[in-house]
Amino acid sequence: MESLTLLVQIFVSAAIINNFVLHYFVGICPFLGVSRRVDMAFGMGCAVTFVISIAALLSWTFTYYLLRPDAPLPAWLWQRAGGDPSVAIDLSVLSYIMYIFVIASSVQFVEMYVRKFAPKLHKSFGVFLPLITTNCAILFACLIILRNLQDPAQLWGPAEALTLALGGGVGFTLAICLMAGIREELELCDVPRPLRGAGITLLVAGILAMAVMGFAGVDQNLQNVIDAFFN
Amino acid sequence: MPDGPTASERFLNGILPENPVYRQLLGMCPVLAVTAAMLPALTMAAATAFVLISANVIISLIRGQLRPHLRILVFTLTIATFVTIADRFLAAYLYEMSKVLGPYVPLIIVNCLIISRCEICASKQTVRVAVADAVGMSLGFTLALVSIATVREVLGSGTWLGLRVLPEAWPNWGIMVLPPGAFLVLGLLLAGVEWWGQWRAERAALAVASVSRSLQGQSGGAAREEEASSWKA
């Protein structure tokens, strides 16, 4: 039960309470750029959720076996090469380069796969895929996973990493779709001239962020509910 | 010699006319995330400037070897290397500050500002021009970070760089140091810059119109009088 509670907590925290866009400010570029129409915003959200899950699983694998301070693979190679077993190998200095490489290549592969096997899907959100490489939300998810793997007290498994990625993706989709809905209505409003475009979008985002702050503490209550349900 | 703006023009362009944040809306993530107080904002600006200038120099030096389909990958890997250096440096010498900045230092890798400068300028120009461009853009970015952090820190905690500027009785606007404050301040500042630009453009247009009227002189005046008389009739 402990692990299920943790998973629910991670998901709710990433999706709503500490929303990637409205609390951590990652993924602002598409949030401002692709939030003109709800259907395009939804396509972008789906693409991000898809890529973020793949990148999170890949980066968890690399971090767990290769990059974290007492990872098994480098230590094994070191000993095979005749190195001193008491020397600790720490490759975590390579982690940023590794992550950006993983993200760039997984975006490339996802685009090729989708173009080949789901042309209809590719038509609807394929244009967003190359943009996603420079989306901070994906690197941010990888960095959170890295932080939780460096701490031996709470060694995350792949399930936690995937839950975080899905929660982050859902939270991003939620925020960008809300924003697009509001901006569709704003088209009909008489916005003061200097505020048009990015200005009014940021003001609306501020009000949305205030609304999201109201969810603080929900995760604790959810945990209580789950505990009460299973005990 | 490649055409386009000269080194000094690029340097000045980066600061105000093409300010990366207010004009080009680039690198919004750190602009919103680390500006709750001045000190983290300045550290962030310095780290970004270091990465931007070093990456521009390297990309400009190897611009002859770049292949079109691999260039974005080369840009990101170069940037990631320098970000790793900056991150380790902060963790070693400014440990408290690196705790405050947290994941936003590694997120410099995906700051669109740096990639766009590599793509637009450094991969096509000589080292001297690339450095001038990077320094100008860094100053513009610093200016933007400092302006937002000033508003947020003064209103949110009554201090500036840790020095008290508003009286003790000032009721701290808690919202300013929280995430919504970042969005609101940036939105209003953007609108202010936009309003200023439009005001200047309008004033310039008025001046041009009055000059051309006075140059047209007699003929224009005669035509207007004729028109007025026809209306009267």
Side-chain angles (χ1 to χ4, degrees), chain A residues 33-79:
Chain A
V34 200
S35 59
R36 246 172 238 291
R37 281 176 29 218
V38 174
D39 49 345
M40 278 176 67
F42 189 71
M44 184 74 192
C46 290
V48 167
T49 312
F50 193 47
V51 175
I52 209 173
S53 312
I54 292 171
L57 278 180
L58 280 174
S59 69
W60 182 86
T61 315
F62 279 114
T63 317
Y64 189 83
Y65 290 108
L66 210 60
L67 297 171
R68 79 196 159 99
D70 43 356
L73 205 56
W76 181 78
L77 276 176
W78 177 247
Q79 284 177 14

Side-chain angles (χ1 to χ4, degrees), chain B residues 32-48:
Chain B
L32 293 165
V34 301
T35 48
M38 277 295 286
L39 214 51
L42 282 177
T43 319
M44 189 64 183
T48 311

Side-chain angles (χ1 to χ4, degrees), chain B residues 98-129:
Chain B
S98 86
K99 277 270 176 238
V100 171
L101 291 177
Y104 296 105
V105 178
L107 282 177
I108 296 176
I109 300 174
V110 281
N111 191 332
C112 328
L113 166 65
I114 302 179
I115 292 197
S116 83
R117 283 346 281 175
C118 286
E119 165 82 16
I120 294 171
C121 177
S123 60
K124 299 187 182 93
Q125 308 285 345
T126 57
V127 176
R128 204 172 65 87
V129 178

Side-chain angles (χ1 to χ4, degrees), chain A residues 156-179:
Chain A
W156 274 16
E160 279 90 351
L162 187 61
T163 313
L164 173 87
L166 284 176
V170 168
F172 178 82
T173 314
L174 196 70
I176 198 171
C177 285
L178 279 175
M179 193 65 198

Side-chain angles (χ1 to χ4, degrees), chain B residues 141-165:
Chain B
F141 191 67
T142 312
L143 189 73
L145 278 175
V146 164
S147 60
I148 298 163
T150 303
V151 176
R152 284 184 71 190
E153 194 182 342
V154 167
L155 293 181
S157 29
T159 56
W160 192 76
L161 259 177
L163 307 168
R164 183 148 279 281
V165 288

Side-chain angles (χ1 to χ4, degrees), chain A residues 24-35:
Chain A
Y24 286 121
F25 311 111
V26 291
I28 291 286
C29 300
F31 182 67
L32 297 179
V34 200
S35 59

